[in-house]
Amino acid sequence: MQQSTREPLDILYDLVEINNDRIEGYTKAIELLPGGQHTDLRAVFEKYRDQSADFKAEIAPLVLQIGQELTNSTRLSGKIYRTWMSLKTALSSSNRTAILELAERGEDEFVSVYDHFLQNEIGEDNPIYDMVMRQSHEQRDAYEHIKMLYDNSRVNT
């Protein structure tokens, strides 16, 4: 059985930041969608933005229970990703395939972060293991959905 290598609070803070990144990324993607166009993508992006808000809401009581404040900050890598997304999307005239490509890359990064925590930092003895595992599975489903949409958009262009 893998043992935990970090304190639950540190992991919880990282998970909150990752979900803040995802919330901001999808909020930015929604803002960049041309008005009245890609309404199907708007609904998908709202769904996954809300999913991260739900993940964060699930984590929040655990942080507060430890007696700490919940962070609204993001990771530096998330800020860089959103900046790059803004520039690339602006240059590509809000092209559906370009938007989905960036969303797929963002989801891939989130899958990697959750996988890293589960494989390297959260042992099965950690009280947050089951929650993180469930969130990871839900987030992986989101990644597969976004990837399918991206792959389909490439075929149809």
Side-chain angles (χ1 to χ4, degrees), residues 9 31 38 40-41 46 54 62 64 67 72 76 79 83-84 90 101-102:
L9 179 61
E31 290 170 7
H38 309 298
D40 60 324
L41 286 185
E46 288 171 351
D54 291 344
L62 302 173
L64 297 173
N72 286 319
L76 178 59
K79 291 174 185 170
T83 300
W84 185 77
E101 176 186 9
L102 294 166

Side-chain angles (χ1 to χ4, degrees), residues 102-152:
L102 294 166
E104 190 268 340
R105 286 184 186 176
E107 287 295 334
D108 186 52
E109 176 64 25
F110 295 122
V111 166
S112 295
V113 169
Y114 268 84
D115 284 351
H116 173 79
F117 284 135
L118 289 167
Q119 294 171 9
N120 302 304
E121 299 192 29
I122 302 175
E124 293 175 11
D125 64 319
N126 193 309
I128 64 172
Y129 180 84
D130 290 338
M131 176 194 68
V132 175
M133 179 64 84
R134 184 186 42 72
Q135 287 184 359
S136 175
H137 286 297
E138 289 179 35
Q139 197 279 318
R140 186 172 296 279
D141 290 343
Y143 166 75
E144 293 297 331
H145 183 210
I146 292 293
K147 183 170 180 4
M148 181 214 43
L149 291 172
Y150 170 58
D151 289 346
N152 288 343

Side-chain angles (χ1 to χ4, degrees), residues 96-98 100-101 148-157:
R96 180 183 181 90
T97 301
L100 283 166
E101 176 186 9
M148 181 214 43
L149 291 172
Y150 170 58
D151 289 346
N152 288 343
S153 75
R154 289 185 4 206
V155 170
N156 294 325
T157 55

Side-chain angles (χ1 to χ4, degrees), residues 19 22-23 48-58:
N19 280 289
R22 192 169 180 232
I23 290 165
Y48 294 136
R49 178 201 58 203
D50 295 348
Q51 182 184 59
S52 270
D54 291 344
F55 289 171
K56 184 178 169 182
E58 185 177 13

Side-chain angles (χ1 to χ4, degrees), residues 48-82:
Y48 294 136
R49 178 201 58 203
D50 295 348
Q51 182 184 59
S52 270
D54 291 344
F55 289 171
K56 184 178 169 182
E58 185 177 13
I59 296 166
L62 302 173
V63 173
L64 297 173
Q65 182 179 0
I66 297 171
Q68 300 295 319
E69 297 279 326
L70 195 63
T71 181
N72 286 319
S73 67
T74 59
R75 301 177 113 193
L76 178 59
S77 61
K79 291 174 185 170
I80 292 169
Y81 170 76
R82 283 187 303 281

